[in-house]
Protein backbone atom coordinates (compact mmCIF):
# COMPACT_ATOMS: atom_id res chain seq x y z
CA UNK A 1 0.00 0.00 0.00
CA UNK A 2 1.25 3.45 -0.93
CA UNK A 3 2.05 5.61 2.11
CA UNK A 4 0.01 8.83 2.34
CA UNK A 5 2.49 11.63 3.03
CA UNK A 6 1.80 15.35 3.29
CA UNK A 7 3.52 17.58 0.78
CA UNK A 8 6.49 19.50 2.23
CA UNK A 9 5.21 22.51 0.34
CA UNK A 10 1.82 22.23 2.11
CA UNK A 11 3.55 22.08 5.49
CA UNK A 12 5.61 25.13 4.62
CA UNK A 13 2.45 27.03 3.61
CA UNK A 14 0.83 26.21 6.96
CA UNK A 15 3.89 27.53 8.77
CA UNK A 16 3.77 30.81 6.82
CA UNK A 17 0.07 31.24 7.59
CA UNK A 18 0.69 30.42 11.25
CA UNK A 19 3.53 32.94 11.38
CA UNK A 20 1.24 35.67 10.00
CA UNK A 21 -1.51 34.98 12.56
CA UNK A 22 1.03 34.76 15.38
CA UNK A 23 2.60 38.06 14.35
CA UNK A 24 -0.82 39.72 14.30
CA UNK A 25 -1.53 38.39 17.79
CA UNK A 26 1.81 39.47 19.24
CA UNK A 27 1.63 42.95 17.71
CA UNK A 28 -1.88 43.46 19.11
CA UNK A 29 -0.88 42.22 22.57
CA UNK A 30 2.32 44.25 22.47
CA UNK A 31 0.45 47.44 21.60
CA UNK A 32 -2.01 46.92 24.44
CA UNK A 33 0.64 46.07 27.03
CA UNK A 34 2.81 49.01 25.95
CA UNK A 35 -0.15 51.43 26.13
CA UNK A 36 -1.15 50.14 29.59
CA UNK A 37 2.46 50.57 30.76
CA UNK A 38 2.67 54.02 29.15
CA UNK A 39 -0.55 55.14 30.85
CA UNK A 40 1.29 54.70 34.14
CA UNK A 41 -1.79 54.02 36.25
CA UNK A 42 -1.49 50.29 36.89
CA UNK A 43 0.85 49.17 39.69
CA UNK A 44 3.43 46.42 39.02
CA UNK A 45 1.34 43.98 41.03
CA UNK A 46 -1.34 44.25 38.31
CA UNK A 47 1.02 44.40 35.33
CA UNK A 48 2.82 41.15 36.20
CA UNK A 49 -0.39 39.02 36.42
CA UNK A 50 -1.56 40.56 33.13
CA UNK A 51 1.70 39.54 31.47
CA UNK A 52 1.51 36.01 32.92
CA UNK A 53 -2.10 35.60 31.75
CA UNK A 54 -1.16 36.72 28.23
CA UNK A 55 1.73 34.24 28.22
CA UNK A 56 -0.48 31.36 29.41
CA UNK A 57 -3.00 32.13 26.67
CA UNK A 58 -0.34 32.37 23.95
CA UNK A 59 1.52 29.12 24.73
CA UNK A 60 -1.27 26.66 23.68
CA UNK A 61 -2.07 28.84 20.66
CA UNK A 62 1.57 28.71 19.51
CA UNK A 63 1.69 24.91 20.06
CA UNK A 64 -1.48 24.49 17.99
CA UNK A 65 -0.12 26.70 15.19
CA UNK A 66 3.28 24.98 15.01
CA UNK A 67 2.84 21.24 15.77
CA UNK A 68 6.19 19.49 16.23
CA UNK A 69 5.30 15.83 15.42
CA UNK A 70 3.82 14.04 12.47
CA UNK A 71 1.45 12.27 14.84
CA UNK A 72 -0.17 15.63 15.59
CA UNK A 73 -0.76 16.25 11.91
CA UNK A 74 -2.47 12.87 11.50
CA UNK A 75 -4.94 13.68 14.26
CA UNK A 76 -6.78 16.75 12.99
CA UNK A 77 -3.77 19.02 13.28
CA UNK A 78 -5.20 21.29 10.64
CA UNK A 79 -8.45 21.68 12.56
CA UNK A 80 -6.56 22.68 15.67
CA UNK A 81 -4.51 25.12 13.64
CA UNK A 82 -7.68 26.74 12.33
CA UNK A 83 -9.09 26.91 15.85
CA UNK A 84 -5.87 28.60 16.97
CA UNK A 85 -6.18 31.08 14.08
CA UNK A 86 -9.74 31.97 15.07
CA UNK A 87 -8.70 32.44 18.71
CA UNK A 88 -5.70 34.56 17.73
CA UNK A 89 -7.89 36.83 15.58
CA UNK A 90 -10.47 37.19 18.36
CA UNK A 91 -7.80 37.97 20.96
CA UNK A 92 -6.02 40.38 18.61
CA UNK A 93 -9.29 42.20 17.91
CA UNK A 94 -9.93 42.48 21.64
CA UNK A 95 -6.40 43.80 22.18
CA UNK A 96 -6.79 46.39 19.42
CA UNK A 97 -10.05 47.63 20.94
CA UNK A 98 -8.43 47.67 24.38
CA UNK A 99 -5.40 49.54 23.03
CA UNK A 100 -7.68 52.12 21.46
CA UNK A 101 -9.66 52.57 24.70
CA UNK A 102 -6.54 52.89 26.87
CA UNK A 103 -4.94 55.29 24.39
CA UNK A 104 -8.07 57.41 24.51
CA UNK A 105 -7.89 57.43 28.31
CA UNK A 106 -4.26 58.53 28.05
CA UNK A 107 -5.27 61.38 25.75
CA UNK A 108 -8.04 62.36 28.16
CA UNK A 109 -5.61 62.66 31.08
CA UNK A 110 -3.49 64.96 28.93
CA UNK A 111 -6.57 66.95 27.90
CA UNK A 112 -7.87 67.60 31.41
CA UNK A 113 -4.44 68.58 32.70
CA UNK A 114 -3.44 71.02 29.99
CA UNK A 115 -3.82 74.74 30.64
CA UNK A 116 -7.42 75.37 29.57
CA UNK A 117 -8.42 77.79 26.89
CA UNK A 118 -11.27 80.08 27.79
CA UNK A 119 -13.61 81.65 25.31
CA UNK A 120 -14.32 85.01 26.89
CA UNK A 121 -17.72 85.77 25.40
CA UNK A 122 -18.75 89.40 25.05
CA UNK A 123 -22.42 90.02 24.29
CA UNK A 124 -24.38 92.89 22.78
CA UNK A 125 -27.56 93.31 24.85
CA UNK A 126 -30.75 95.14 23.91
CA UNK A 127 -34.12 95.31 25.66
CA UNK A 128 -36.30 92.27 25.03
CA UNK A 129 -38.93 94.35 23.22
CA UNK A 130 -36.35 95.94 20.92
CA UNK A 131 -36.92 95.04 17.26
CA UNK A 132 -33.24 94.34 16.57
CA UNK A 133 -32.48 90.66 16.01
CA UNK A 134 -28.90 90.86 14.72
CA UNK A 135 -25.98 93.25 15.02
CA UNK A 136 -26.66 94.78 11.59
CA UNK A 137 -30.00 96.02 12.96
CA UNK A 138 -28.13 98.08 15.58
CA UNK A 139 -25.89 99.99 13.19
CA UNK A 140 -27.15 103.42 14.28
CA UNK A 141 -27.53 102.58 17.98
CA UNK A 142 -25.70 104.15 20.90
CA UNK A 143 -23.69 101.42 22.70
CA UNK A 144 -23.12 101.65 26.46
CA UNK A 145 -19.89 100.13 27.79
CA UNK A 146 -17.86 100.10 30.97
CA UNK A 147 -14.14 99.62 30.67
CA UNK A 148 -13.68 99.22 34.41
CA UNK A 149 -14.64 95.58 33.84
CA UNK A 150 -12.97 93.42 31.18
CA UNK A 151 -11.62 96.42 29.24
CA UNK A 152 -9.41 94.44 26.86
CA UNK A 153 -12.19 92.12 25.67
CA UNK A 154 -14.67 95.00 25.46
CA UNK A 155 -12.37 96.90 23.14
CA UNK A 156 -11.81 93.78 21.04
CA UNK A 157 -15.58 93.29 20.77
CA UNK A 158 -16.07 96.91 19.66
CA UNK A 159 -13.45 96.42 16.94
CA UNK A 160 -15.16 93.22 15.80
CA UNK A 161 -18.59 94.90 15.68
CA UNK A 162 -17.21 97.81 13.63
CA UNK A 163 -15.64 95.34 11.24
CA UNK A 164 -18.96 93.55 10.74
CA UNK A 165 -20.86 96.81 10.27
CA UNK A 166 -18.17 98.43 8.14
CA UNK A 167 -18.30 101.68 10.11
CA UNK A 168 -17.61 103.18 13.55
CA UNK A 169 -20.25 102.84 16.25
CA UNK A 170 -21.27 105.43 18.83
CA UNK A 171 -19.96 104.38 22.24
CA UNK A 172 -20.77 105.96 25.64
CA UNK A 173 -18.69 104.86 28.63
CA UNK A 174 -20.05 104.40 32.17
CA UNK A 175 -18.34 103.89 35.49
CA UNK A 176 -20.20 100.88 36.86
CA UNK A 177 -22.37 97.92 35.95
CA UNK A 178 -25.36 99.63 37.58
CA UNK A 179 -24.90 102.74 35.42
CA UNK A 180 -24.52 100.51 32.37
CA UNK A 181 -27.82 98.72 32.97
CA UNK A 182 -29.58 101.97 33.85
CA UNK A 183 -28.48 103.51 30.54
CA UNK A 184 -30.08 100.61 28.69
CA UNK A 185 -33.23 100.55 30.81
CA UNK A 186 -33.75 104.33 30.53
CA UNK A 187 -33.15 104.50 26.80
CA UNK A 188 -30.00 106.62 27.03
CA UNK A 189 -28.38 103.77 25.12
CA UNK A 190 -30.11 101.32 22.79
CA UNK A 191 -27.54 98.57 23.33
CA UNK A 192 -24.86 97.64 25.83
CA UNK A 193 -21.66 95.63 25.42
CA UNK A 194 -20.61 93.39 28.31
CA UNK A 195 -18.83 90.12 28.98
CA UNK A 196 -21.51 87.44 29.32
CA UNK A 197 -19.93 86.21 32.57
CA UNK A 198 -20.19 89.69 34.11
CA UNK A 199 -23.81 89.97 33.03
CA UNK A 200 -24.48 87.20 35.53
CA UNK A 201 -23.68 89.65 38.32
CA UNK A 202 -27.05 91.30 37.79
CA UNK A 203 -28.71 88.20 39.21
CA UNK A 204 -27.33 89.22 42.64
CA UNK A 205 -28.46 92.83 42.29
CA UNK A 206 -31.66 94.02 43.98
CA UNK A 207 -32.29 96.66 41.33
CA UNK A 208 -31.47 94.73 38.16
CA UNK A 209 -32.25 91.12 39.09
CA UNK A 210 -34.64 90.98 36.11
CA UNK A 211 -31.80 91.64 33.65
CA UNK A 212 -31.92 88.18 32.07
CA UNK A 213 -35.62 88.32 31.27
CA UNK A 214 -35.70 92.00 30.36
CA UNK A 215 -32.89 91.82 27.79
CA UNK A 216 -31.77 89.69 24.88
CA UNK A 217 -28.44 89.10 23.14
CA UNK A 218 -28.19 89.98 19.45
CA UNK A 219 -24.47 89.38 18.98
CA UNK A 220 -21.67 87.46 20.71
CA UNK A 221 -17.94 87.91 20.25
CA UNK A 222 -15.57 85.13 21.37
CA UNK A 223 -12.00 85.69 22.51
CA UNK A 224 -9.83 82.67 23.25
CA UNK A 225 -7.10 83.04 25.81
CA UNK A 226 -5.19 80.89 28.27
CA UNK A 227 -6.56 80.71 31.79
CA UNK A 228 -4.35 81.99 34.58
CA UNK A 229 -4.68 79.17 37.08
CA UNK A 230 -2.16 80.21 39.70
CA UNK A 231 -1.26 83.56 41.19
CA UNK A 232 1.20 84.31 43.93
CA UNK A 233 -0.74 83.97 47.20
CA UNK A 234 -0.54 86.84 49.63
CA UNK A 235 -0.42 86.83 53.41
CA UNK A 236 0.45 83.15 53.79
CA UNK A 237 2.08 81.38 56.68
CA UNK A 238 4.12 79.31 54.22
CA UNK A 239 6.10 80.04 51.08
CA UNK A 240 4.11 80.68 47.88
CA UNK A 241 2.64 77.54 46.40
CA UNK A 242 4.86 75.41 44.20
CA UNK A 243 3.91 72.35 42.12
CA UNK A 244 3.93 69.23 44.30
CA UNK A 245 5.47 66.32 42.40
CA UNK A 246 5.89 63.82 45.26
CA UNK A 247 2.14 63.55 45.69
CA UNK A 248 2.38 60.03 47.12
CA UNK A 249 4.08 61.39 50.25
CA UNK A 250 3.69 65.17 50.37
CA UNK A 251 0.47 66.84 51.59
CA UNK A 252 -1.17 69.25 49.19
CA UNK A 253 -4.24 71.48 48.86
CA UNK A 254 -6.62 71.48 45.91
CA UNK A 255 -9.16 74.21 45.22
CA UNK A 256 -12.34 72.52 44.01
CA UNK A 257 -14.48 74.89 41.99
CA UNK A 258 -17.93 74.28 40.58
CA UNK A 259 -18.61 76.52 37.60
CA UNK A 260 -22.17 77.85 37.37
CA UNK A 261 -22.31 76.91 33.68
CA UNK A 262 -24.06 74.07 31.94
CA UNK A 263 -22.40 72.85 28.74
CA UNK A 264 -20.21 70.08 27.31
CA UNK A 265 -17.13 72.25 27.57
CA UNK A 266 -15.28 74.34 30.12
CA UNK A 267 -14.24 76.89 27.52
CA UNK A 268 -16.55 79.27 29.35
CA UNK A 269 -14.93 78.54 32.70
CA UNK A 270 -14.32 82.19 33.61
CA UNK A 271 -17.54 82.47 35.55
CA UNK A 272 -18.98 82.72 39.03
CA UNK A 273 -18.17 79.69 41.14
CA UNK A 274 -21.05 78.04 42.95
CA UNK A 275 -18.75 75.58 44.74
CA UNK A 276 -15.66 76.73 46.64
CA UNK A 277 -14.09 73.88 48.56
CA UNK A 278 -10.52 73.33 49.64
CA UNK A 279 -9.50 69.67 49.71
CA UNK A 280 -6.53 69.30 52.05
CA UNK A 281 -4.95 65.92 51.25
CA UNK A 282 -2.33 64.02 53.19
CA UNK A 283 -1.48 60.86 51.19
CA UNK A 284 0.69 59.43 53.97
CA UNK A 285 -2.00 59.51 56.66
CA UNK A 286 -4.86 58.98 54.15
CA UNK A 287 -6.55 62.07 55.56
CA UNK A 288 -8.72 64.45 53.56
CA UNK A 289 -10.20 67.63 55.00
CA UNK A 290 -12.87 69.42 52.99
CA UNK A 291 -13.26 73.08 53.89
CA UNK A 292 -16.30 74.80 52.40
CA UNK A 293 -16.46 78.55 51.94
CA UNK A 294 -19.93 79.92 51.03
CA UNK A 295 -20.17 81.54 47.60
CA UNK A 296 -21.43 84.84 49.13
CA UNK A 297 -18.60 85.08 51.68
CA UNK A 298 -17.48 88.71 51.87
CA UNK A 299 -13.71 88.64 51.41
CA UNK A 300 -10.95 90.55 49.64
CA UNK A 301 -11.01 90.30 45.83
CA UNK A 302 -7.34 90.51 44.73
CA UNK A 303 -8.16 91.36 41.12
CA UNK A 304 -9.90 94.62 42.09
CA UNK A 305 -8.41 95.36 45.49
CA UNK A 306 -11.85 95.60 47.13
CA UNK A 307 -14.07 93.57 49.40
CA UNK A 308 -16.39 91.37 47.37
CA UNK A 309 -18.35 88.13 47.26
CA UNK A 310 -16.16 85.04 46.83
CA UNK A 311 -18.18 83.87 43.85
CA UNK A 312 -17.24 87.05 41.95
CA UNK A 313 -13.52 86.24 42.23
CA UNK A 314 -13.97 83.49 39.66
CA UNK A 315 -14.86 86.06 37.01
CA UNK A 316 -11.14 86.84 36.81
CA UNK A 317 -10.04 83.24 36.63
CA UNK A 318 -9.28 80.36 38.96
CA UNK A 319 -6.01 81.98 40.04
CA UNK A 320 -7.88 84.94 41.50
CA UNK A 321 -10.16 82.68 43.57
CA UNK A 322 -7.16 80.68 44.75
CA UNK A 323 -5.35 83.82 45.83
CA UNK A 324 -8.42 85.07 47.69
CA UNK A 325 -8.88 81.78 49.59
CA UNK A 326 -5.16 81.44 50.22
CA UNK A 327 -5.13 84.87 51.88
CA UNK A 328 -8.26 84.02 53.88
CA UNK A 329 -6.89 80.82 55.42
CA UNK A 330 -3.16 81.60 55.35
CA UNK A 331 -1.97 78.59 53.34
CA UNK A 332 -0.81 78.32 49.73
CA UNK A 333 -3.02 76.29 47.40
CA UNK A 334 -1.12 73.88 45.18
CA UNK A 335 -3.65 72.85 42.57
CA UNK A 336 -7.13 73.55 41.31
CA UNK A 337 -9.82 71.41 39.74
CA UNK A 338 -12.96 72.72 38.10
CA UNK A 339 -16.10 70.99 36.92
CA UNK A 340 -19.31 72.44 35.53
CA UNK A 341 -22.88 71.29 36.15
CA UNK A 342 -22.98 68.98 33.13
CA UNK A 343 -19.66 67.42 34.11
CA UNK A 344 -20.87 66.94 37.69
CA UNK A 345 -23.88 64.94 36.53
CA UNK A 346 -21.72 62.95 34.11
CA UNK A 347 -19.22 62.06 36.83
CA UNK A 348 -21.90 60.79 39.21
CA UNK A 349 -23.57 58.74 36.48
CA UNK A 350 -20.27 57.33 35.19
CA UNK A 351 -19.40 55.86 38.60
CA UNK A 352 -22.86 54.33 38.93
CA UNK A 353 -24.40 56.89 41.29
CA UNK A 354 -23.61 57.58 44.93
CA UNK A 355 -24.99 56.79 48.37
CA UNK A 356 -25.89 59.59 50.77
CA UNK A 357 -27.01 58.82 54.29
CA UNK A 358 -29.45 61.20 55.94
CA UNK A 359 -30.73 61.41 59.46
CA UNK A 360 -33.64 63.48 58.22
CA UNK A 361 -34.20 67.19 57.82
CA UNK A 362 -32.73 67.34 54.30
CA UNK A 363 -35.76 68.87 52.66
CA UNK A 364 -37.29 67.38 49.55
CA UNK A 365 -34.12 65.70 48.33
CA UNK A 366 -33.41 62.96 50.85
CA UNK A 367 -35.41 60.57 52.97
CA UNK A 368 -34.10 59.37 56.35
CA UNK A 369 -31.66 56.51 55.82
CA UNK A 370 -29.56 55.58 52.80
CA UNK A 371 -30.38 57.37 49.56
CA UNK A 372 -29.12 56.36 46.11
CA UNK A 373 -28.66 59.38 43.86
CA UNK A 374 -27.94 59.63 40.16
CA UNK A 375 -26.22 62.65 38.60
CA UNK A 376 -29.30 64.85 38.28
CA UNK A 377 -30.48 64.06 41.82
CA UNK A 378 -27.02 64.66 43.30
CA UNK A 379 -26.77 68.02 41.52
CA UNK A 380 -30.17 69.12 42.82
CA UNK A 381 -29.15 68.09 46.34
CA UNK A 382 -25.79 69.89 46.11
CA UNK A 383 -27.19 73.15 44.69
CA UNK A 384 -30.39 73.78 46.63
CA UNK A 385 -30.20 76.48 49.29
CA UNK A 386 -33.77 77.74 49.29
CA UNK A 387 -35.33 74.68 50.95
CA UNK A 388 -33.29 75.13 54.12
CA UNK A 389 -33.32 77.66 56.91
CA UNK A 390 -29.53 78.07 56.84
CA UNK A 391 -29.37 78.43 53.05
CA UNK A 392 -25.76 78.58 51.87
CA UNK A 393 -24.51 76.71 54.92
CA UNK A 394 -26.79 73.78 54.13
CA UNK A 395 -25.70 73.81 50.52
CA UNK A 396 -22.06 73.71 51.59
CA UNK A 397 -22.68 70.70 53.83
CA UNK A 398 -24.47 68.88 51.04
CA UNK A 399 -21.69 69.60 48.55
CA UNK A 400 -19.14 68.10 50.93
CA UNK A 401 -21.39 65.08 51.49
CA UNK A 402 -21.49 64.52 47.75
CA UNK A 403 -17.72 64.92 47.37
CA UNK A 404 -17.16 62.47 50.24
CA UNK A 405 -19.47 59.94 48.58
CA UNK A 406 -17.65 60.33 45.24
CA UNK A 407 -14.22 59.89 46.85
CA UNK A 408 -15.37 56.79 48.73
CA UNK A 409 -16.85 55.30 45.57
CA UNK A 410 -13.76 56.00 43.46
CA UNK A 411 -11.42 54.74 46.19
CA UNK A 412 -13.21 51.39 46.31
CA UNK A 413 -12.31 48.44 44.13
CA UNK A 414 -15.73 48.44 42.47
CA UNK A 415 -14.64 50.75 39.65
CA UNK A 416 -10.99 49.70 39.36
CA UNK A 417 -11.37 48.87 35.67
CA UNK A 418 -13.32 52.04 34.88
CA UNK A 419 -10.90 54.87 35.69
CA UNK A 420 -10.03 55.43 32.04
CA UNK A 421 -13.66 55.52 30.86
CA UNK A 422 -14.65 57.78 33.77
CA UNK A 423 -11.96 60.29 32.87
CA UNK A 424 -12.93 60.02 29.21
CA UNK A 425 -16.58 60.81 29.98
CA UNK A 426 -15.51 64.06 31.64
CA UNK A 427 -13.35 65.37 28.80
CA UNK A 428 -14.16 69.00 28.15
CA UNK A 429 -16.21 69.39 31.33
CA UNK A 430 -13.43 68.95 33.89
CA UNK A 431 -10.01 70.55 34.12
CA UNK A 432 -7.21 70.63 36.65
CA UNK A 433 -3.89 72.40 37.05
CA UNK A 434 -2.29 69.09 38.11
CA UNK A 435 0.19 67.71 35.61
CA UNK A 436 -0.78 64.53 33.77
CA UNK A 437 2.02 62.75 35.63
CA UNK A 438 0.56 63.75 38.99
CA UNK A 439 -2.93 62.55 38.03
CA UNK A 440 -1.58 59.20 36.85
CA UNK A 441 0.49 58.74 39.97
CA UNK A 442 -2.43 59.50 42.28
CA UNK A 443 -4.62 56.96 40.47
CA UNK A 444 -1.78 54.43 40.55
CA UNK A 445 -1.27 55.03 44.28
CA UNK A 446 -4.94 54.40 44.99
CA UNK A 447 -5.12 51.30 42.80
CA UNK A 448 -1.99 49.95 44.47
CA UNK A 449 -3.20 50.05 48.06
CA UNK A 450 -6.98 50.50 47.69
CA UNK A 451 -6.78 52.37 50.99
CA UNK A 452 -9.83 53.89 52.59
CA UNK A 453 -9.58 57.56 53.45
CA UNK A 454 -10.54 59.40 56.60
CA UNK A 455 -12.63 62.25 55.18
CA UNK A 456 -13.64 65.07 57.48
CA UNK A 457 -15.45 68.24 56.50
CA UNK A 458 -15.82 71.70 57.97
CA UNK A 459 -17.73 74.75 56.77
CA UNK A 460 -16.96 78.30 57.77
CA UNK A 461 -20.06 80.34 58.50
CA UNK A 462 -21.21 83.94 58.82
CA UNK A 463 -24.21 86.23 58.92
CA UNK A 464 -26.07 87.93 56.09
CA UNK A 465 -26.23 91.54 55.06
CA UNK A 466 -26.08 93.89 52.07
CA UNK A 467 -22.87 95.51 50.93
CA UNK A 468 -20.94 96.86 47.96
CA UNK A 469 -19.60 94.34 45.43
CA UNK A 470 -18.12 94.67 41.94
CA UNK A 471 -21.67 94.10 40.70
CA UNK A 472 -23.21 96.78 42.89
CA UNK A 473 -25.06 96.49 46.19
CA UNK A 474 -25.95 92.87 46.84
CA UNK A 475 -26.51 90.23 49.51
CA UNK A 476 -23.27 89.08 51.16
CA UNK A 477 -22.27 86.83 54.04
CA UNK A 478 -19.96 88.44 56.59
CA UNK A 479 -17.48 85.87 58.01
CA UNK A 480 -17.51 84.64 61.57
CA UNK A 481 -13.79 85.06 62.23
CA UNK A 482 -13.65 82.24 64.77
CA UNK A 483 -14.82 79.72 62.15
CA UNK A 484 -12.16 80.95 59.70
CA UNK A 485 -9.50 80.61 62.40
CA UNK A 486 -10.68 77.07 63.23
CA UNK A 487 -10.61 76.09 59.55
CA UNK A 488 -7.04 77.36 59.31
CA UNK A 489 -6.11 75.35 62.40
CA UNK A 490 -7.60 72.17 60.91
CA UNK A 491 -5.74 72.70 57.64
CA UNK A 492 -2.49 73.01 59.57
CA UNK A 493 -3.13 69.74 61.44
CA UNK A 494 -3.70 67.80 58.24
CA UNK A 495 -0.58 69.22 56.63
CA UNK A 496 1.40 68.28 59.75
CA UNK A 497 0.25 64.66 59.47
CA UNK A 498 -2.32 64.56 62.26
CA UNK A 499 -5.44 62.43 61.91
CA UNK A 500 -8.61 64.41 62.49
CA UNK A 501 -11.49 63.19 64.63
CA UNK A 502 -15.06 64.38 64.98
CA UNK A 503 -13.96 66.08 68.18
CA UNK A 504 -11.34 68.09 66.26
CA UNK A 505 -13.99 69.31 63.83
CA UNK A 506 -16.44 70.22 66.58
CA UNK A 507 -13.96 71.95 68.91
Amino acid sequence: MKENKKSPRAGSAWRVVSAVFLALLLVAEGLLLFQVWKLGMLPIKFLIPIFVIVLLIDIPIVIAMFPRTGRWQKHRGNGKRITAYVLSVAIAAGCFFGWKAVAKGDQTVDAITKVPTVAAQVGVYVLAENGAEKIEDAKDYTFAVTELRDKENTQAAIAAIEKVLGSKIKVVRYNSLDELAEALYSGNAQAMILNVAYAGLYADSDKYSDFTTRTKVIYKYNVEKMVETQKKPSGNKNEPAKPVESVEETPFIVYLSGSDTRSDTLTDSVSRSDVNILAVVNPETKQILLVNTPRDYYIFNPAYGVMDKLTHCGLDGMGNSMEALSALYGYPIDYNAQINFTGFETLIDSIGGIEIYSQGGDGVHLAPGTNYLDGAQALAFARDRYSYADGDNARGRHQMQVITAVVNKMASGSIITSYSSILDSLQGMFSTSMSSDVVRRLIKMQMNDMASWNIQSYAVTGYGGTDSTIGGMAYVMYPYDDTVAHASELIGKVLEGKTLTNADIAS
Side-chain angles (χ1 to χ4, degrees):
M1 180 179 294
K2 188 176 180 180
E3 185 178 357
N4 182 21
K5 295 184 177 179
K6 290 187 177 289
S7 165
R9 183 174 296 177
S12 177
W14 277 114
R15 285 192 293 275
V16 171
V17 173
S18 295
V20 171
F21 277 97
L22 180 60
L24 175 68
L25 175 63
L26 293 179
V27 168
E29 291 175 341
L31 282 173
L32 177 59
L33 289 174
F34 173 75
Q35 192 63 56
V36 170
W37 171 81
K38 180 174 175 286
L39 188 62
M41 293 183 186
L42 280 182
I44 292 295
K45 71 177 185 181
F46 290 132
L47 289 175
I48 292 177
I50 290 174
F51 180 79
V52 171
I53 291 171
V54 169
L55 189 63
L56 291 176
I57 291 173
D58 286 352
I59 289 174
I61 290 178
V62 173
I63 292 174
M65 286 183 177
F66 299 95
R68 299 183 62 183
T69 66
R71 183 178 180 184
W72 172 281
Q73 296 175 354
K74 292 179 182 179
H75 294 281
R76 296 174 294 175
N78 291 343
K80 292 186 177 181
R81 277 195 184 103
I82 293 171
T83 301
Y85 297 160
V86 172
L87 284 175
S88 66
V89 170
I91 294 171
C95 288
F96 276 120
F97 280 116
W99 165 73
K100 188 175 180 181
V102 176
K104 191 173 182 182
D106 192 27
Q107 293 169 1
T108 301
V109 172
D110 290 334
I112 66 176
T113 54
K114 72 178 182 180
V115 178
T117 299
V118 170
Q121 209 170 59
V122 181
V124 175
Y125 294 84
V126 298
L127 293 177
E129 64 269 18
N130 190 299
E133 296 297 333
K134 55 185 185 299
I135 191 62
E136 288 79 2
D137 299 331
K139 186 173 184 178
D140 298 321
Y141 283 10
T142 296
F143 291 79
V145 302
T146 175
E147 293 184 345
L148 297 179
R149 302 283 179 267
D150 203 38
K151 179 179 180 179
E152 182 181 347
N153 289 329
T154 299
Q155 291 177 336
I158 292 173
I161 293 169
E162 291 178 340
K163 184 176 180 180
V164 171
L165 297 180
S167 61
K168 294 285 185 181
I169 60 173
K170 183 179 179 181
V171 174
V172 179
R173 290 168 172 80
Y174 293 90
N175 294 324
S176 69
L177 292 178
D178 280 2
E179 290 181 10
L180 194 66
E182 185 58 35
L184 183 65
Y185 280 25
S186 65
N188 290 332
Q190 292 77 50
M192 61 178 273
I193 301 172
L194 185 65
N195 189 311
V196 173
Y198 280 88
L201 293 173
Y202 289 120
D204 297 327
S205 167
D206 295 333
K207 192 174 181 181
Y208 302 106
S209 57
D210 63 347
F211 183 82
T212 344
T213 55
R214 194 166 171 186
T215 63
K216 62 182 179 182
V217 179
I218 60 171
Y219 177 77
K220 285 184 180 180
Y221 172 71
N222 295 327
V223 181
E224 288 197 354
K225 62 180 181 179
M226 303 305 285
V227 181
E228 185 179 3
T229 57
Q230 180 78 51
K231 292 185 178 181
K232 181 180 178 180
S234 57
N236 296 309
K237 296 175 182 175
N238 302 332
E239 292 297 318
K242 298 178 181 179
V244 178
E245 296 303 331
S246 55
V247 287
E248 297 93 340
E249 301 90 18
T250 307
F252 56 91
I253 301 176
V254 184
Y255 168 50
L256 304 176
S257 170
S259 168
D260 68 344
T261 59
R262 201 182 255 285
S263 68
D264 292 334
T265 175
L266 266 180
T267 54
D268 51 3
S269 59
V270 171
S271 59
R272 293 176 301 164
S273 178
D274 260 17
V275 180
N276 299 279
I277 292 175
L278 296 185
V280 189
V281 183
N282 191 314
E284 282 284 318
T285 60
K286 302 301 178 184
Q287 173 74 65
I288 295 177
L289 170 67
L290 301 176
V291 177
N292 178 69
T293 312
R295 68 188 295 276
D296 294 325
Y297 230 44
Y298 200 55
I299 64 175
F300 185 75
N301 185 335
Y304 294 98
V306 297
M307 297 299 290
D308 197 6
K309 296 168 69 157
L310 171 59
T311 187
H312 293 171
C313 294
L315 293 170
D316 285 87
M318 296 275 282
N320 193 48
S321 298
M322 292 168 71
E323 185 176 356
L325 289 170
S326 182
L328 179 67
Y329 294 113
Y331 288 96
I333 300 170
D334 302 293
Y335 303 114
N336 67 61
Q338 185 180 48
I339 191 169
N340 65 8
F341 291 161
T342 304
F344 181 87
E345 289 188 30
T346 301
L347 172 62
I348 302 297
D349 289 334
S350 66
I351 64 175
I354 56 174
E355 293 183 12
I356 299 289
Y357 181 80
S358 172
Q359 295 180 334
D362 288 303
V364 298
H365 299 291
L366 299 183
T370 300
N371 294 257
Y372 299 90
L373 307 183
D374 61 18
Q377 293 168 329
L379 179 61
F381 175 63
R383 290 198 67 207
D384 188 11
R385 56 176 168 162
Y386 297 110
S387 301
Y388 310 97
D390 53 350
D392 266 338
N393 293 327
R395 178 163 62 176
R397 289 195 305 272
H398 296 167
Q399 289 168 355
M400 291 188 291
Q401 279 183 273
V402 170
I403 292 173
T404 300
V406 170
V407 171
N408 286 334
K409 186 73 174 281
M410 296 191 73
S412 71
S414 61
I415 60 170
I416 189 172
T417 60
S418 306
Y419 278 107
S420 179
S421 60
I422 290 170
L423 288 173
D424 185 57
S425 69
L426 290 174
Q427 187 167 350
M429 295 173 287
F430 173 82
S431 69
T432 177
S433 64
M434 290 182 177
S435 69
S436 57
D437 180 56
V438 167
V439 171
R440 291 185 178 97
R441 284 160 60 182
L442 286 173
I443 294 176
K444 184 176 182 179
M445 176 189 71
Q446 185 57 38
M447 294 179 74
N448 187 50
D449 56 25
M450 283 301 163
S452 59
W453 292 73
N454 176 32
I455 306 175
Q456 297 285 349
S457 59
Y458 181 77
V460 296
T461 57
Y463 59 98
T466 301
D467 216 316
S468 174
T469 72
I470 63 171
M473 298 299 292
Y475 171 82
V476 301
M477 180 182 289
Y478 299 107
Y480 283 136
D481 292 337
D482 58 333
T483 65
V484 174
H486 187 50
S488 182
E489 179 186 0
L490 293 173
I491 292 171
K493 286 183 177 180
V494 174
L495 296 178
E496 292 166 6
K498 298 178 181 178
T499 300
L500 299 181
T501 65
N502 292 335
D504 291 320
I505 299 297
S507 63

